[in-house]
Amino acid sequence: MNLKLGIVGLPNVGKSTLFNALTKQSVPAENYPFCTIDPNVGIVAVADKRLFDIANIAKPARTTPAVIEFVDIAGLVKGAASGAGLGNKFLSHIKEVDAIVQVIRAFDNSNITHVENSVNPTRDIELINTELILKDMETVANRQAGIGSKAKFDKVLGALSEHLTELSKHLEEGKLAKDFPLPEDEDAAKERKGLFLITDKPVIFLVNATKDADMEPLKEILENQNYITMDIKTEYDLATMNEADRKMFMDELGLQETGLERLTRAAYDLLGLISYFTEGPEEVRAWTIEKGWKAPLAGTAIHTDFLKKFIACDVCYFQDYLDIGGWNNCKNVGKVRLEGKDYVVKDGDIVVFRHG
C-alpha cells in the first residue's frame, strides 16, 4: 500500500514551497493566491536508513524504497466550499488522500501577503476546518437526497438515512465528522465510510514557523493534535543542496533529520503504518502495511494471491541481519524463524514468503 497525503492550507502559507522541498520538483511557489491551478502530485521515497543498511549487505541489483504520494492542493479561502476562489474543484481532490497535512503559517514576513491580511494561526485553522465541514455537509445532503424514499423500504438505507440526519446536525454545529460515531449497523457504517468525508480523515498540522516565531497562541488548539513545526524555507534550502553541504548545514542548525523524515514518521504513526523488507540478489525492498497485520495479509502488499496461497514465511529481524551479516549467516545461527499464518509482522522484519 502506498501512502497518499494531501497538503492543504490558505494561500501563501508555504504549501507549494513545502511540496518543492519534499519532492525536489520545480512547481510554481509565487507570492499570490491560486498559484497552484491543478493539484501537483509528487511521488517521494520514504527515507528509511534500515533499507539501505540491508542493501549494503545483500548487494542487490536494485533497492526499492516505500513511497509517499504528496498532493499539493490549491490554497483555500473563505467561501471555498460554495465556490469562492477555486472552490469545490480543489476540495474534491482532498477526498482521495489517506490523511491531510494542514499547513499553518506562524511567521511574520511583510513581503509575503496573507489572504486575510494578518497572521493568525488559530483563525486560519478554524477557517479551513469550516470550509471542509461545509463541503462535508454538501456531500451528506447529496447522499440524503439520493437515498430519498428508498430508505423506507431498505433496512440499510434506513439506518444510513437516520445516521446522516444526525451527522448533518453535528456538522452544522461546526464539529468534524470524525468526532461523530459510525452507525451501529455494519452495512450502514460501510456506506458512511464510502462517502469519504473530508473531516473524517486524520490530520497532521504542520506549523510553518521560523526560529523566533511566537508559538504561544497555538498551544491550546494543538494540545491534543498531531502536529510538527518546520521552517519550510529552510527545508527548501536543504533540499536544493548537495549531500555534503546539506549535512554541514544541518549540523550547524542542530537538525538530526530532515523535515521529510519527521513528516513521514508522523504520518506513519498517525495512520498506524509500519514497514517490512524483502531481500535477495535481485532486489531489496520496503513494503508498507498496517500495524497488526498477520503474515498472509501483509503478503498482499507484494501480491494479492499471497492471502489465499500463503503457506508460511521465514522471518529475520533487520538488526540481527545487520549484526550477523546477512540472511545465510542468520540462518546458520538460528536467527531465521519459520512462522505461520497467525504471525503478526513486526516493523523491521525481513520476510520471505512461502506460497502455493
Side-chain angles (χ1 to χ4, degrees), residues 57-192:
I57 293 174
K59 301 287 192 283
R62 63 183 180 275
T63 302
T64 307
V67 297
I68 297 179
E69 184 174 339
F70 285 101
V71 182
D72 175 30
I73 297 165
L76 301 176
V77 295
K78 188 181 297 183
S82 56
L86 297 176
N88 283 321
K89 177 179 179 182
F90 296 102
L91 286 170
S92 64
H93 291 297
I94 307 175
K95 289 191 171 191
E96 303 169 5
V97 302
D98 299 305
I100 294 171
V101 179
Q102 190 175 140
V103 181
I104 306 300
R105 176 174 170 176
F107 66 90
D108 284 306
N109 186 329
S110 59
N111 294 319
I112 301 177
T113 60
H114 192 292
V115 72
E116 292 292 318
N117 299 316
S118 65
V119 175
N120 185 330
T122 302
R123 175 206 59 209
D124 293 352
I125 291 173
E126 292 174 352
L127 193 157
I128 292 169
N129 284 346
T130 296
E131 294 306 318
L132 301 185
I133 289 169
L134 289 170
K135 182 62 177 177
D136 281 346
M137 288 173 61
E138 178 187 297
T139 300
V140 170
N142 288 341
R143 184 64 178 122
Q144 279 279 53
I147 293 172
S149 60
K150 290 182 287 187
K152 297 178 181 179
F153 310 102
D154 186 297
K155 180 182 176 182
V156 173
L157 291 181
L160 177 63
S161 180
E162 289 180 10
H163 172 79
L164 294 182
T165 298
E166 295 304 314
L167 174 58
S168 182
K169 295 176 184 177
H170 174 85
L171 294 171
E172 286 172 2
E173 294 173 357
K175 298 175 182 178
L176 306 178
K178 63 184 176 183
D179 296 327
F180 192 78
L182 293 172
E184 293 183 4
D185 183 281
E186 290 185 8
D187 292 325
K190 187 176 180 180
E191 289 276 351
R192 151 74 188 275

Side-chain angles (χ1 to χ4, degrees), residues 296-297 300 303-312 341 353-356:
L297 187 56
T300 62
H303 199 291
T304 54
D305 281 355
F306 283 19
L307 184 61
K308 291 183 178 179
K309 297 183 179 181
F310 176 88
I311 297 173
K341 65 180 181 181
F353 289 93
R354 302 183 185 188
H355 56 90

